[in-house]
Every structure is written in structure tokens, then in C-alpha cells.
Amino acid sequence: MKMYLLVLSVLFLLSCNSGVNKKSNESEGSQLNYNKSSVIQLKSKSVLNKKLVVQLPLGFTLMDFEMLKAKYPIEGHRPTEVYTNEEGTINIAFNHTSPLG
């Protein structure tokens, strides 16, 4: 039986903030509160052929192939899926790999 390792590469620095309060509501999704005036709405999203469910900020979409080629030019080293904000400045990348050996 082959074991597959799921490597999750998330470059989302906001989640590293120790002062974050997370609120959850099943019907509306979740939200991250960074301070009294800043709230990021989150929504559940199935990624990697429905192998993983993650909370992504509302408005993040699957990066189109042209942008993916520009941001990750080395073909064999591109992530499996990348979600990005509207400006393309914040990316959340997922890569499905198998273990060595």
C-alpha cells in the first residue's frame, strides 16, 4: 500500500498573528478578527481533488494558468493548486506529493 504525503504550503502570514480571534458559524463560514476594525471573512473550500477542506478568505480564486506560469516559472516545481486574491499579491499554495522511498 502506497502512502501519500500531503504537503500544505500556505503563505498566509496573517494566520501567524498571535492576537487573532477566530469566530465560526457553520451557515456563514468563519471570520478572523485582527483588531476591532479589521475582519477577514473565510469560506470553506475543497482543494486537491476534494482531499482537503480549508478555510480561504472570501474573494480568493484559483490562480489562472498564465499567472501560475509567471509566478512559478519552473515547470516541475509549480504547486498543484494556488488560490490568490484579486490583485495576485497574496497566494495560498497547495502541493500534493508522495513520500520519498
Side-chain angles (χ1 to χ4, degrees):
M1 172 192 238
K2 282 189 174 181
M3 301 250 340
Y4 291 97
L5 174 66
L6 178 64
V7 177
L8 175 63
S9 300
V10 178
L11 300 175
F12 196 60
L13 299 177
L14 296 175
S15 64
C16 297
N17 186 338
S18 62
V20 173
N21 293 322
K22 184 175 179 183
K23 293 183 180 179
S24 181
N25 182 328
E26 291 296 323
S27 62
E28 296 176 17
S30 298
Q31 64 184 21
L32 293 176
N33 297 310
Y34 290 97
N35 57 42
K36 292 181 181 179
S37 63
S38 179
V39 174
I40 296 175
Q41 297 294 323
L42 302 174
K43 183 172 182 166
S44 293
K45 176 75 177 164
S46 294
V47 297
L48 299 174
N49 293 322
K50 298 185 179 183
K51 291 182 174 86
L52 179 67
V53 176
V54 296
Q55 296 277 317
L56 294 176
L58 285 178
F60 272 53
T61 58
L62 190 60
M63 183 180 284
D64 66 58
F65 188 66
E66 291 304 313
M67 185 183 285
L68 187 67
K69 285 193 318 186
K71 288 201 172 258
Y72 304 93
I74 302 172
E75 189 172 339
H77 295 278
R78 285 187 194 126
T80 307
E81 288 181 42
V82 180
Y83 290 82
T84 188
N85 65 342
E86 189 174 323
E87 297 82 18
T89 56
I90 302 174
N91 303 314
I92 300 176
F94 302 93
N95 199 23
H96 190 188
T97 62
S98 58
L100 299 175

